Each structure stands twice: as C-alpha cells, then as structure tokens.
Amino acid sequence: MSKEANYRKLVLYFWLIVLIPIGLFTLLFYAAANSWAGFDELPSFEQLENPNSNLATEVYTSDGKVLGKYFYQNRVNVSYEELSPNLVNALVSTEDERYYAHSGIDLRGLARAVVNFGKSGGASTITQQLAKMLFSDSPKSTWDRIKQKLQEWIIAAQLERRYTKEEIIAMYFNRFDFVNNAVGIKSASTVYFNTQTDSLKLEEAATLVGMLKNPSLFNPLRFPDTTLHRRNVVLAQMLRNEAINKKEFDSLRLIPLVLDYNKVDHKDGIAPYFREVLRAQLKTLFEEKDKDGNPKIRKADGSPYDIYKDGLKIYTTINWKMQEYAEWAVKEHLRNQLQDDFFKDIQRKKNAPFDYRISKKEADQILNSAMKRSERYLIMTGKQCANCGRRGKFLEEHTENGRSFVRCLAPDCEHETKVFPKDSIQTIFEKKVPMKVFSWQGEIDTLMSPLDSIRYYKSFLQAGLMSMDPATGYVKAWVGGIDYDHFAYDHVRQGKRQVGSTFKPFVYSVAIDEGYSPCYEVPNVPVVFKKGEFGLLQDWAPKNSTDDYGYNVTLKYGLANSMNTITSWVMKQFGPQRVIDMARTMGIESPLDPVPALSLGVADVSVFEMTGAFSTFANKGVWTEPIFLTRIEDKDGNIIAEYIPKTREALSEQNAYVMLDLLKGVTSYNYNAHKGKNVGGTGIRLRFPKTDQRPYGGIQTPIAGKTGTTQNNSDGWFIGATPDLVTGVWVGAEDRSVRFTYTADGQGANTALPIFGYYMNKIYADSTLKISKEDFERPEKPITIELDCNNYQSENTFGGNSEPNFQ
C-alpha cells in the first residue's frame, strides 16, 4: 500500500474517531430533546411555567399573621425580592461561581470535571440542579443517569430562556427540601431560625446554603458539628468570591451554630381546635358540586382544589391576640384552681371519677365504650393509620404471611400498620406499658395500662370558648378544649351539651316580644304542668335551687337569679313551641323537644350556636350567622371564594334592648322587696374586687350575661355580652356521669364564669383591640316598655292598666 493510501486511511480513521462521537452525542441530544429511544418526555412550556410542586396552604388571622398550614410538604413560595442578599451571595459563591456568565450549562466547569474525573467538583450549575429537582426522577442505572443528565441540560437551557437569573434562584430556593418538614427556603428560615427569608443573618444564610450539598448529612439537628464545618466552608467560598471580606470571615467563622428551632406539625401552634374545624369546613366546601356534578369551587381545568398541595391562602376572622387571651384564660382557671378542686372532690367517690350514683358495672361499660373509641383501639383494629391518623378511604388492608396490615394511601405517609386480633386487644389494654400522660404541670412519664389511662383522662374537666363580634358575625377566638394533643374533641361546634339556665333568655324573649315589662311581677311559687298538658305523662312542677318561695318577684329579678319558678310561669303562658320558634330565629339549629322542661335548658346545644344566638341581643335584635372564613385565594392571589354571614331580624330593636336590660341584672344587684335588700345576680362575682381567691373579678363595665348549670352539675355555662363582643364558655367533664358533688362547686358561676372574667380582663387591658367599655346603645325611638322597676305602677299589672294578652 502506498504512502498516499496510508495517509488517506489515517485521515479517515481520524475523522471517524472525531465525528462518530460527535454524531452519537448529537443523536443522543436529538433523541433526548424529542423523547426518542427511551428518553422521558420533556416538559412543555406550560409545565415549565407551572412545575409540579406541593405548596402548603396557609391560614391567616384577621390581623395578618399565619395561624397554621395544611400540607403534604411544608412549602410556601417566596419571590426573589423576599430573599436576603446573604442567601443569594452564599448560593452563587458556593454552588455556581460563574452563574451570571453562562446560559444554564457551564462549559468551563464541565471540562474541568471531565479532565479531573469529577474530583475537583461537580459541573452542575444552579439551573441544572433546579432542572433535576423539578422534572427528574431518581435514576435506576448509569444509563438512566446519562439520559437524565442530557435532559437536565436541555431543560436548563429552556429555563434560562424562559426565566431571569433572579427568578431561577427563587425557584431553586423554593423547591429545595431542607428536611425536618422544612421544604423551601421560607419554611427553612422559620423552622431553623424562626425568622423570615429577608431577615436571615449572614451566618444563618450560610448554614442553609451549606445544607444544599446534602441536607441529611448537614442536618443541624442531628449533626451540628458537621453542619458548622460546612457553614464555614460556605463562608470561605464567599470570601474567595469577595462576597465578604477577611475581617468578616474571621469574625463569622467563630460564631457557634445557634438555632431557634420550631417543630412543624399540623397540631402545633395556636388555635389547633379551630384549625381542625376549618380543615373540615374547607373539605366540605371543595367537595360541593353544582347541578352538573362539577366542583362549585374549581381550578381552570375543572378539577377541585387540594388544601394540602395547591398553596391556597385562607383568610379567617380569628384575632391572634384575642385567641391567645382566650387560651390563656381557659388554662389559668382550670390549671390553677378548678381542676385541683375537682380532683379533691372525686377522690371521695368509690368508682372515681364517676359520680356516686354510677355503679361499677355502669362505670365498666363507660370505660369499655371509651376504649373502642380510642385512637389506640382504632389503630390496633386497622381503622386508623398509626403514623398520620387518617382513616377510611386512605387505608387499604392486605395480608402477608398470615398477618393482617393496613397501608395508608396518603402520598405524604404510605405507612403500614399491623392489625391485631380482636380477642387479644382487651389483654393488651389491661397491661401496663410506659407512656406519657397529660397533666396541667406538663406531660408525665409513667407506667400505666391503656385502660387505666382512659379512666385517668376522664377525670379532667374540659372547656369550650367562643368569642365573636355580634355585628359582623366574625368569630374572634375559638378554644375547643384544654389540650389538643391529648383531647382532640372540639367543644365549641362539635360537642353539644345541656345548656341549663342559659336557655332561659329565649323564654323571656317571648314574654318581652309579647309586651311584658321586665318589672312585671310573678308569684315565686312552683308552677304545675298537668298530666296531658304539652304531652306530659304525669304532673311536673319544677323547683328552685333553694326552698325559698311565697312572694312576688319581677321578671328581671327572676332571670337575674335564675329562678325556675318564674321561667316555668312564662313557659306556661306561651307554650314550648313558641319558645322553640324564638330560639330558631336566633340561630339555634339543634333538636329542641316541645316540652315544658325545655324552659330549664334540657336541650343539648353547642357553644357555637349559643354564642351566636346571644349575639342577637347585642346586635339590636338582628341574628348574624357566626362565620370564621372570609375569603380564599389561590397561589397567585386570585380570589376563588368569599363569604358573608346570613342575617335575619329575630327581635325588634326595642325588645332586644329590653332583653339586654334583663341580662345586665345577672351581673348586678337587684332589689328584693320581700327581703328588703339588694341581691346579686348569679353572675355578680364578676363585679367583686380582684383577690387571690377571685383574680378574674373587678370588671365594672356593662355586661349582659347568663349563667347555666345542668342536672347534677354535669355542665357549667356562662355567656356574656358587651356592645361589640359576645363570649360563650362551657365547662364539664367528657362524661356527664363525671361531675362535682355540690352545686356550689359545679355551677356555671364557679366553673365557666371565671374563664370569661380572665378573658375580658385581658381584653380590656389591651387598648389595641379597641373593645368598647361603654353601655349598650339605646334605641333612638322612645322605649314603650318600662325598665325602671322603681317607677312601675303596681304588682301583677301589665303596663299598670290591664292583664297581658295570653293569646
């Protein structure tokens, strides 16, 4: 072969060696770009604009604070303008020094990585790392990783064309998972340092940027020393790139790792009961269908919203300060006095904590029923996920090697829970095990059987409080119980209990609506409802709490002192149905039986309903539906739903004002002609000066209120109204058979009223809330019903002239 032929052959080999790899590389790029030969489909421009991302839904108070979040991932996006410059400088200095000089792929860095086999650092730019986070699954093989890398380059180039450098940095920080339920830089700033992204100190920003290399390894909670070292590497990179000077570096590297860790959990934070009620309300709203079967509230594509991943903003009526004051008031009274008194009372009972009237057999039945409702029992029987607590459709049962399990299908859980044979569960519940139990002094580590823990928990008094603006219907505070971790049942809306004497104002409202004056006098004697009357099977004659009878009192005095005889007299004049109609117009929706005993509050009604109904009096006779949700926005700030309360006139303005006058008698002294002296209403304790025994007293502002105590002291109530705030409080044990022995201890004036007093003292002391201390506004038109009982013309007369019309 000639030299020329050899030369041509060498040239051919050279070009084959050069061109074949280039051709193959070009072909691979073309295949990657067009999703050929096993390459995954690249995202469209629409997908680039809206990458798959689980965004947490945030719940806001009326004063603009974040009350809580609902999420699969605790992620809330921020804009570039909300990022601290320290974050940006640390990121670019550490992860991509030539970030502002390339268009998504750093060829110089790539060449360095190839020549040094990756030992001198990776070649992935910030944009490539973002592409990997947004659109790539974890590779299963080396070939998959090569394919993924090629598509990352293509996606990175697309991102650089679609977004500015600043937008890419914001997207990067928003997407990254900083572990410990901190997804995205906003959550990470709050979880680790309890601050906002624009307020991060330089050493804090360096810590978070250091976590980007490997958040599990550089986890500041688990490996603080390793994290500190990594933070200082970031600071060194910032020095190298002149983002900080030598003096700053020498100072910053000596600062210890200081965290202000805030654990993130759906149950943590203020107003947990309210947030759970709100969660259920949102679920209902998003499941509502229109006449065509489509979601009433839906996205542009017609699909329903998901509160766990769609980044909604929920605006509520809750006021942060008032919520704090309400939670404090409940704890202050129960923790420092009432619960101790209750423990002393039940210690004397043989089947404690149950009342002495309850037999051992009945007590065992109550405990067995409670066992089957407990979270532990539901988990052991496969009806609840042991990890996230979800039930029903989220659980799928399966069997492995003869053992039963349930798998949670929720995407943020996927936990497997073992199912126990039912015949072994009772034995397990009777065996002592280490556990943490609730106490007002903090959780106690103890050895106790699950069944004994149920008995122990039943000895605690529960409480519910709701406070609202009577004019707008806005709920300002919501306390559903004493401790959400241990007692998750809501006692504001979910729970309904006998209301006792707090129902009496509805009865008196009928009398006032029919033209009676508060000064009309009625004999204080037992009223007999005959057998057959109103469907009674036997005669019924309710008595007062004392055996003090035989004289006349005014309606105002009768209500102020919660006299059953006077309320029964009014009920007899107009009948139960008239009273039910009045209660319905004032917002009571719970079942009400048309029986005479309704006048004494035998019906089970929620704190939510009762507080809303009492607001009618303070709102000039107009019932305004209590609401706690004002609007919902999508992640882009578009309003997708707004809410305004329903209203209706239940009483005339005059009659509402007259009722307020009666109810003010509950918290005032009222003259008793028979006794020849002033007698305090059942709520007079609010007026007593503050002492060590009554630190909740000393309130001298006008308050219209009503106490309530139910049969055998199972429930204590107080509802109080001021011109712009109405607050209802209930206190009682989980079981009605667990109660104070004596009425002096179990009455609403002793159990519920002090919580109201604590709360209102805090409210009045905070001038920023601007809650009125003035009296209720008098109607402009002259009042035709006499309110001054000193000027009332004579006993047992109606308007001084004739008997009332009983039609």
Side-chain angles (χ1 to χ4, degrees):
M1 187 180 292
S2 66
K3 289 184 178 180
E4 184 177 350
N6 284 332
Y7 175 75
R8 288 177 181 174
K9 193 173 183 179
L10 288 172
V11 170
L12 177 63
Y13 287 156
F14 171 79
W15 283 113
L16 285 173
I17 292 170
V18 172
L19 293 177
I20 286 176
I22 293 175
L24 287 174
F25 199 69
T26 303
L27 186 62
L28 280 173
F29 253 107
Y30 191 80
N34 292 276
S35 306
W36 291 357
F39 282 92
D40 294 331
E41 187 174 349
L42 285 173
S44 64
F45 284 128
E46 182 180 354
Q47 288 173 308
L48 287 174
E49 294 286 351
N50 301 283
N52 292 327
S53 181
N54 290 329
L55 295 177
T57 287
E58 291 185 303
V59 179
Y60 288 88
T61 62
S62 60
D63 43 341
K65 295 185 178 181
V66 176
L67 190 63
K69 300 176 185 178
Y70 306 124
F71 54 83
Y72 289 137
Q73 294 179 320
N74 181 27
R75 183 207 315 277
V76 178
N77 286 349
V78 295
S79 65
Y80 180 83
E81 290 70 28
E82 296 173 86
L83 296 174
S84 164
N86 296 326
L87 277 170
V88 177
N89 291 335
L91 175 67
V92 174
S93 297
T94 307
E95 294 295 323
D96 193 350
E97 293 175 334
R98 286 175 294 281
Y99 175 67
Y100 294 105
H102 63 67
S103 297
I105 301 172
D106 183 6
L107 295 177
R108 180 176 162 188
L110 179 61
R112 184 191 69 237
V114 171
V115 170
N116 293 285
F117 300 100
K119 294 179 181 179
S120 60
S124 288
T125 64
I126 290 173
T127 316
Q128 285 176 261
Q129 292 178 47
L130 173 60
K132 182 180 178 181
M133 285 191 287
L134 286 175
F135 307 110
S136 297
D137 295 326
S138 298
K140 296 186 175 81
S141 65
T142 303
W143 172 239
D144 285 342
R145 181 62 189 131
I146 293 170
K147 292 192 298 180
Q148 183 189 67
K149 196 69 178 178
L150 290 172
Q151 289 196 311
E152 280 175 19
W153 289 346
I154 295 167
I155 294 168
Q158 290 179 337
L159 287 170
E160 289 276 351
R161 288 198 298 270
R162 297 292 292 178
Y163 297 102
T164 65
K165 290 287 187 179
E166 290 74 19
E167 288 171 330
I168 289 171
I169 285 177
M171 290 172 67
Y172 181 94
F173 274 124
N174 285 328
R175 184 69 187 183
F176 194 84
D177 187 347
F178 290 87
V179 300
N180 297 311
N181 246 338
V183 184
I185 193 64
K186 183 173 182 179
S187 294
S189 301
T190 303
V191 168
Y192 294 114
F193 299 110
N194 194 24
T195 190
Q196 299 301 310
T197 52
D198 58 359
S199 303
L200 285 165
K201 298 176 183 176
L202 208 158
E203 66 272 18
E204 294 170 344
T207 301
L208 294 178
V209 169
M211 293 177 70
L212 301 175
K213 185 177 180 66
N214 186 333
S216 297
L217 177 61
F218 302 114
N219 181 337
L221 299 182
R222 295 188 61 196
F223 308 112
D225 292 340
T226 306
T227 305
L228 178 63
H229 175 75
R230 177 61 186 168
R231 183 203 71 180
N232 289 342
V233 170
V234 173
L235 292 172
Q237 284 295 108
M238 295 180 73
L239 173 64
R240 178 182 170 214
N241 287 276
E242 300 181 350
I244 57 175
N245 56 42
K246 185 68 166 61
K247 184 178 179 181
E248 288 175 311
F249 172 75
D250 290 338
S251 174
L252 290 167
R253 70 185 182 86
L254 297 176
I255 297 176
L257 181 66
V258 180
L259 303 177
D260 187 358
Y261 177 64
N262 290 274
K263 181 184 175 184
V264 176
D265 189 281
H266 290 300
K267 298 183 291 185
D268 289 342
I270 199 170
Y273 292 93
F274 169 76
R275 286 186 278 113
E276 285 305 305
V277 171
L278 176 62
R279 185 207 300 267
Q281 179 89 353
L282 292 169
K283 182 176 182 290
T284 300
L285 289 172
F286 292 143
E287 287 178 350
E288 286 181 352
K289 301 288 196 299
D290 60 21
K291 61 181 180 180
D292 298 321
N294 299 314
K296 284 186 177 180
I297 305 174
R298 55 183 182 268
K299 304 177 193 175
D301 63 3
S303 62
Y305 284 98
D306 187 330
I307 63 171
Y308 299 106
K309 64 180 184 179
D310 284 334
L312 304 175
K313 288 182 170 54
I314 312 296
Y315 293 91
T316 74
T317 61
I318 297 293
N319 179 280
W320 185 278
K321 284 186 176 180
M322 295 171 78
Q323 180 67 30
E324 283 189 321
Y325 296 154
E327 292 183 7
W328 173 84
V330 169
K331 290 178 181 177
E332 188 70 10
H333 182 47
L334 270 70
R335 176 178 54 200
N336 292 336
Q337 181 176 350
L338 195 65
Q339 188 62 53
D340 286 342
D341 292 344
F342 192 58
F343 280 149
K344 292 174 185 176
D345 183 81
I346 62 177
Q347 282 174 358
R348 299 189 292 266
K349 299 175 180 178
K350 63 179 181 179
N351 287 323
F354 303 103
D355 190 71
Y356 65 90
R357 301 178 185 86
I358 303 300
S359 67
K360 185 180 185 305
K361 181 179 179 181
E362 291 171 322
D364 288 343
Q365 288 174 342
I366 294 171
L367 291 172
N368 188 58
S369 296
M371 178 188 75
K372 292 181 178 179
R373 295 194 305 269
S374 71
E375 185 177 88
R376 186 187 294 263
Y377 187 89
L378 293 173
I379 290 171
M380 293 176 73
T381 54
K383 295 178 181 177
Q384 178 174 317
C385 175
N387 183 49
C388 69
R390 290 184 175 91
R391 302 176 186 175
K393 66 180 182 180
F394 287 100
L395 304 181
E396 180 181 77
E397 190 167 353
H398 67 99
T399 303
E400 260 180 46
N401 300 323
R403 295 183 178 182
S404 295
F405 297 86
V406 289
R407 181 181 293 111
C408 183
L409 303 179
D412 62 330
C413 182
E414 299 181 352
H415 182 78
E416 277 198 346
T417 303
K418 179 184 175 183
V419 178
F420 288 78
K422 285 195 175 181
D423 56 2
S424 69
I425 292 178
Q426 183 70 35
T427 303
I428 294 172
F429 263 81
E430 292 174 354
K431 183 180 179 181
K432 290 186 177 183
V433 294
M435 65 172 67
K436 290 181 182 289
V437 296
F438 170 81
S439 84
W440 277 114
Q441 287 69 46
E443 285 189 329
I444 300 172
D445 288 305
T446 187
L447 194 66
M448 185 183 291
S449 75
L451 201 58
D452 284 340
S453 73
I454 292 173
R455 183 187 289 269
Y456 170 74
Y457 279 135
K458 284 189 178 296
S459 66
F460 281 91
L461 292 172
Q462 303 297 321
L465 179 153
M466 189 179 100
S467 191
M468 64 177 285
D469 183 329
T472 63
Y474 287 1
V475 176
K476 296 296 184 180
W478 183 303
V479 185
I482 60 172
D483 184 275
Y484 186 80
D485 279 345
H486 296 278
F487 308 96
Y489 189 78
D490 173 63
H491 291 287
V492 171
R493 193 177 191 181
Q494 187 178 2
K496 295 185 179 184
R497 296 292 286 257
Q498 278 193 351
V499 292
S501 295
T502 52
F503 195 85
K504 290 177 179 178
F506 303 131
V507 181
Y508 280 77
S509 293
V510 172
I512 300 304
D513 202 43
E514 295 291 338
Y516 277 80
S517 165
C519 304
Y520 184 80
E521 293 191 354
V522 175
N524 175 26
V525 294
V527 175
V528 179
F529 292 86
K530 296 290 187 180
K531 178 181 177 181
E533 192 176 12
F534 305 118
L536 289 177
L537 299 178
Q538 60 185 26
D539 289 355
W540 182 63
K543 297 180 180 180
N544 293 329
S545 58
T546 64
D547 292 327
D548 187 20
Y549 302 106
Y551 53 91
N552 291 357
V553 297
T554 64
L555 292 179
K556 183 173 184 177
Y557 186 91
L559 182 60
N561 291 277
S562 208
M563 299 172 74
N564 293 338
T565 52
I566 310 306
T567 311
S568 299
W569 183 89
V570 177
M571 172 65 89
K572 193 173 179 68
Q573 312 312 309
F574 304 105
Q577 191 57 53
R578 178 71 171 87
V579 174
I580 290 174
D581 293 342
M582 176 61 72
R584 293 283 185 236
T585 63
M586 296 173 68
I588 302 298
E589 297 179 348
S590 294
L592 302 173
D593 294 329
V595 295
L598 181 65
S599 63
L600 307 187
V602 296
D604 288 353
V605 186
S606 68
V607 172
F608 184 85
E609 292 171 273
M610 290 298 291
T611 309
F614 266 65
S615 294
T616 306
F617 302 129
N619 195 33
K620 302 180 180 180
V622 177
W623 172 76
T624 301
E625 175 192 23
I627 67 168
F628 47 79
L629 177 60
T630 56
R631 76 179 188 275
I632 304 172
E633 294 180 0
D634 67 14
K635 63 183 177 65
D636 298 317
N638 301 308
I639 297 175
I640 60 176
E642 287 186 284
Y643 301 93
I644 56 174
K646 302 173 187 174
T647 61
R648 61 172 169 263
E649 183 175 326
L651 293 167
S652 68
E653 183 178 356
Q654 171 181 271
N655 291 347
Y657 185 79
V658 172
M659 279 304 302
L660 288 171
D661 186 71
L662 266 81
L663 291 167
K664 283 196 290 184
V666 173
T667 60
S668 306
Y669 285 98
N670 304 277
Y671 185 69
N672 183 313
H674 173 72
K675 297 182 179 180
K677 63 178 182 179
N678 286 323
V679 177
T682 57
I684 196 62
R685 299 184 189 197
L686 287 174
R687 307 301 189 190
F688 292 164
K690 284 186 179 181
T691 64
D692 290 342
Q693 289 72 37
R694 293 193 185 91
Y696 54 81
I699 299 175
Q700 300 304 322
T701 56
I703 291 175
K706 187 70 191 79
T707 56
T709 310
T710 63
Q711 189 75 10
N712 299 321
N713 313 311
S714 294
D715 307 276
W717 290 76
F718 185 78
I719 305 176
T722 69
D724 46 16
L725 196 64
V726 178
T727 304
V729 182
W730 166 86
V731 174
E734 178 185 305
D735 285 271
R736 301 177 201 226
S737 55
V738 180
R739 56 214 178 202
F740 274 108
T741 303
Y742 303 105
T743 301
D745 298 319
Q747 64 179 316
N750 187 62
T751 60
L753 177 144
I755 294 174
F756 176 87
Y758 281 120
Y759 175 64
M760 291 307 298
N761 271 303
K762 281 281 191 181
I763 294 292
Y764 285 141
D766 191 337
S767 59
T768 64
L769 295 175
K770 298 179 181 178
I771 298 298
S772 172
K773 297 181 181 180
E774 303 301 316
D775 204 348
F776 297 93
E777 185 179 352
R778 193 179 181 93
E780 292 183 3
K781 294 181 180 179
I783 295 176
T784 59
I785 297 177
E786 182 60 61
L787 298 179
D788 186 355
C789 296
N790 293 322
N791 294 329
Y792 202 61
Q793 294 186 23
S794 61
E795 294 181 359
N796 273 324
T797 61
F798 182 71
N801 298 313
S802 61
E803 288 296 312
N805 182 355
F806 294 141
Q807 294 180 357

